[in-house]
Amino acid sequence: MSGYFDHIDPIKFEGPDSDNALAFKYYDADKKVLGKTIEEHLRVAVCYWHNFCWDGHDIFGAGTFGRPWNAGLNDQAAAEEKLDAAFDFFEKLGQPFFCFHDTDVMAAAETPKEHVENFAAIVDKIEAKMSDAKTKLLWGTANMFSHPRYMAGASTNPNPDVVEFSALQVKHCLEATHRLGGAGYVLWGGREGYDTILNTDVGQEMEQLGRFITMVVEHKYKIGFKGDIWIEPKPHEPTKHQYDRDVATVYGFLKTYGLENEVGVNIEPNHATLAGHNFEHEVEIANAFGIFGSIDFNRGDPQNGWDTDQFPNDLRENTMALYYILKGGGFKNGGANFDAKVRRQSKDPEDLFHAHIGSMDLLARALMNAAELIESEKLSGFVDQRYAGWKTGLGAKMLQGKTNLDEMATAAVEKNVSPVPISGRQEYLENVVTNFTK
Ligand code: XUL
Ligand code: CO
C-alpha cells in the first residue's frame, strides 16, 4: 500500500442523480447492453505513463504534481513505490485493465544488460501484484522514443546498433506482456519517421520497419503469445513526418509487407484529428480493412494543433465512435485505454479520479446511445437501402468480377436514361444522431 490514495474510498456506482463527484453516474459495470455488461463491452484500461510517471512538467516549467515516487532517483525502490500507488489506484477505481511501457514501470537503465535486469526485476513484482488484484493487462509496449539513443528513430534508425537495442526492448517487453497475460501488444511509431528528407533514405527506413515488424510477429509465434499486435497511427509529433500517419496508410504498409492478417491498429482520437480525420472515420476505415484492434481514448483541443491528450468529454463524438465500434463487432482483445493526462494544475490525487470517473461515465453513456442507435436501425437501414442496387443485376455482377466495361456500357445505352440523383439526407441523419445523444 502506498498510502497516497488512502483518503479516497473505492468508487461506486450511485446513478445519475448522485451529487458525489467520486462516484459513477452512468458506468454501471454489471448493467447489460446488447447482451454484454458495460464492463465487458468497454474493457477500460488505465495507462501507467500519464498517471504515474509524468510529474506535471511542461516545456516551460517543472513538475507540479509532487507524487512522492517521482521525487528522487528512478531506482528499483521508486519503481516499486510507483507500482504500489498504481495498484492502489486500480483497486479504488475498479477498472478491469491497465497498460504500460517497459520504461514506465522499471528503474532507469543505460546499458542493455541493465535494461534486461531492471525490467525483469519489476516484472516479477508486477506479476505478484496482479496475482491478488482484479486488474489485468490490456497491452504492453516498449518506449523507444524517450531515450536520446532513439533521437533518429528506433527500428528505422540509420545505425543498426540502435535497431539492436530496439530488438532487445521489444523482445523482453513482448515476453513480459505474454507472461503477464496481456491481451495485446502495441507498437507506437514514436520516432519512426523523419524531420528532414535531406538526411533520410525513406525507402531504406521503410524496409527496416517492415522487416522489424515481421520479426516481432515471428517472435509472437515463437513464444506462443495468443494476443494481438497493434500499430498506433499518428501523423506527426514528435517527427514532422511519421510513417504510420493514419489507419489507411498503416494498412497500405501492412499489405506491402504481407502483415495485414497479423497486425491491427490501436486508434487514438487525438492522432486522428491531427491527421485531419475525425475519430469515427479512423474506426470505420479499420473496420473496412478488417484491422480494428483497440482504442486509446482521449481528445485534442480544437483550437490548437498538437497532441494534448486530454480526457474525452464530448458525448456526441464518442457516441459516433462507439456506434462504429459496435457496428464492427465491438472490442475483442482490445479495449478502451485512456491515453489521457490531467492538466498540469490538476495536481491532487482526486484529480486522477475525477478524470477517469468522468470519462468512464461518458463512455458508458456513449455505449448506451450507440446500442440504441444500432437497435433502431435508423442509420443502418438508411445505408442498406442506399446501396441496395448492388445486390442484383449488373451491380452484383460487377462486384463478382463477372462483367466488363463493354457489357456495362451497352446496358447504359439500352436503358438510355441519365440516372436521377438521390438525396444523401445528411441533415436528417445528423438529426438522428443528435436525438440519440443523451
Ligand atoms: C503517443 C502515444 C503513446 C502510445 C504508446 O502519442 O499515444 O503513448 O500510446 O506508446
Ligand atoms: Co496512444
Side-chain angles (χ1 to χ4, degrees):
M1 293 285 285
S2 65
Y4 192 66
F5 298 110
D6 274 2
H7 59 296
I8 292 167
D9 291 331
I11 309 303
K12 297 204 179 70
F13 171 73
E14 292 184 3
D17 297 331
S18 166
D19 245 358
N20 181 358
L22 291 171
F24 294 118
K25 318 276 184 302
Y26 297 91
Y27 185 87
D28 182 1
D30 299 327
K31 183 178 167 155
K32 287 251 170 112
V33 177
L34 297 179
K36 282 204 284 186
T37 65
I38 290 181
E39 181 171 275
E40 288 164 346
H41 270 291
L42 294 175
R43 296 169 60 79
V44 166
V46 168
C47 82
Y48 221 89
W49 51 101
H50 289 314
N51 297 300
F52 310 111
C53 304
W54 182 50
D55 63 0
H57 73 272
D58 69 8
I59 49 168
F60 293 107
T64 52
F65 293 160
R67 316 245 196 260
W69 55 88
N70 287 331
L73 284 180
N74 185 14
D75 55 10
Q76 177 70 14
E80 288 182 27
E81 204 184 332
K82 192 180 351 178
L83 182 67
D84 279 346
F87 273 78
D88 288 348
F89 183 77
F90 303 159
E91 196 186 327
K92 299 235 152 141
L93 187 68
Q95 93 291 352
F97 292 100
F98 76 110
C99 296
F100 69 82
H101 296 86
D102 49 1
T103 57
D104 298 340
V105 290
M106 62 188 272
E110 195 52 42
T111 64
K113 277 191 181 153
E114 247 173 26
H115 181 92
V116 173
E117 281 166 19
N118 292 0
F119 188 47
I122 200 75
V123 171
D124 287 345
K125 300 283 175 188
I126 299 175
E127 190 173 45
K129 275 273 178 204
M130 287 176 73
S131 68
D132 39 60
K134 163 188 173 178
T135 318
K136 298 191 172 67
L137 180 61
L138 186 66
W139 51 261
T141 187
N143 178 333
M144 303 190 298
F145 43 89
S146 295
H147 192 281
R149 80 173 73 87
Y150 294 121
M151 178 179 81
S155 68
T156 63
N157 202 289
N159 178 358
D161 291 346
V162 178
V163 184
E164 250 177 51
F165 210 121
S166 316
L168 169 104
Q169 277 193 245
V170 174
K171 172 187 147 67
H172 287 277
C173 196
L174 184 59
E175 289 172 4
T177 301
H178 178 40
R179 180 173 149 201
L180 298 174
Y185 185 84
V186 165
L187 295 154
W188 174 52
R191 295 178 193 275
E192 311 296 33
Y194 65 89
D195 290 321
T196 172
I197 197 76
L198 297 174
N199 63 16
T200 305
D201 184 338
V202 169
Q204 160 79 26
E205 293 200 359
M206 296 296 281
E207 210 48 41
Q208 289 174 213
L209 188 57
R211 274 301 302 147
F212 192 87
I213 295 175
T214 305
M215 293 193 303
V216 177
V217 170
E218 286 166 358
H219 199 69
K220 160 186 158 160
Y221 286 110
K222 189 171 168 188
I223 63 175
F225 177 55
K226 299 278 184 301
D228 292 338
I229 294 182
W230 302 305
I231 291 182
E232 183 175 324
K234 186 173 181 181
H236 23 244
E237 204 206 273
T239 67
K240 176 166 167 57
H241 302 276
Q242 301 255 143
Y243 296 135
D244 49 4
R245 68 164 286 116
D246 60 4
V247 173
T249 308
V250 166
Y251 183 74
F253 171 83
L254 293 175
K255 193 92 183 145
T256 304
Y257 293 95
L259 294 165
E260 72 275 19
N261 298 319
E262 299 292 348
V263 179
V265 282
N266 179 39
I267 295 169
E268 185 166 321
N270 202 166
H271 298 175
T273 50
L274 287 176
H277 301 306
N278 55 28
F279 184 5
E280 63 272 17
H281 166 89
E282 289 293 78
V283 172
E284 193 59 347
I285 292 284
N287 285 339
F289 288 131
I291 55 168
F292 178 79
S294 199
I295 303 278
D296 269 6
F297 276 94
N298 63 12
R299 72 184 159 101
D301 180 312
Q303 276 82 50
N304 65 26
W306 65 91
D307 197 11
T308 58
D309 282 339
Q310 288 168 256
F311 277 86
N313 62 5
D314 184 325
L315 187 53
R316 186 190 171 97
E317 180 184 54
N318 286 283
T319 294
M320 292 279 280
L322 259 305
Y323 173 78
Y324 287 98
I325 291 169
L326 288 183
K327 182 175 159 284
F331 291 121
K332 293 179 186 77
N333 280 334
N337 174 45
F338 291 115
D339 190 353
K341 55 183 184 239
V342 293
R343 298 302 88 188
R344 187 168 176 259
Q345 295 179 52
S346 303
K347 57 184 288 300
D348 295 341
E350 286 80 343
D351 292 309
L352 290 175
F353 282 96
H354 293 151
H356 286 89
I357 291 167
S359 294
M360 287 164 76
D361 273 342
L362 177 91
L363 291 198
R365 285 170 81 179
L367 174 73
M368 291 186 272
N369 291 341
E372 285 185 20
L373 259 173
I374 298 252
E375 279 176 324
S376 80
E377 295 182 3
K378 286 200 184 220
L379 298 181
S380 58
F382 181 88
V383 174
D384 287 350
Q385 186 259 321
R386 193 167 187 231
Y387 291 86
W390 291 90
K391 296 269 189 305
T392 55
L394 268 189
K397 275 176 80 180
M398 184 185 118
L399 292 180
Q400 291 156 6
K402 290 183 179 156
T403 185
N404 51 45
L405 284 188
D406 276 338
E407 190 184 13
M408 291 189 81
T410 305
V413 171
E414 275 169 10
K415 273 188 240 154
N416 203 28
V417 283
S418 179
V420 180
I422 301 168
S423 171
R425 297 265 186 268
Q426 180 165 339
E427 294 72 19
Y428 157 76
L429 295 166
E430 286 171 352
N431 294 348
V432 169
V433 176
T434 305
N435 293 336
F436 276 80
T437 302
K438 51 194 191 305

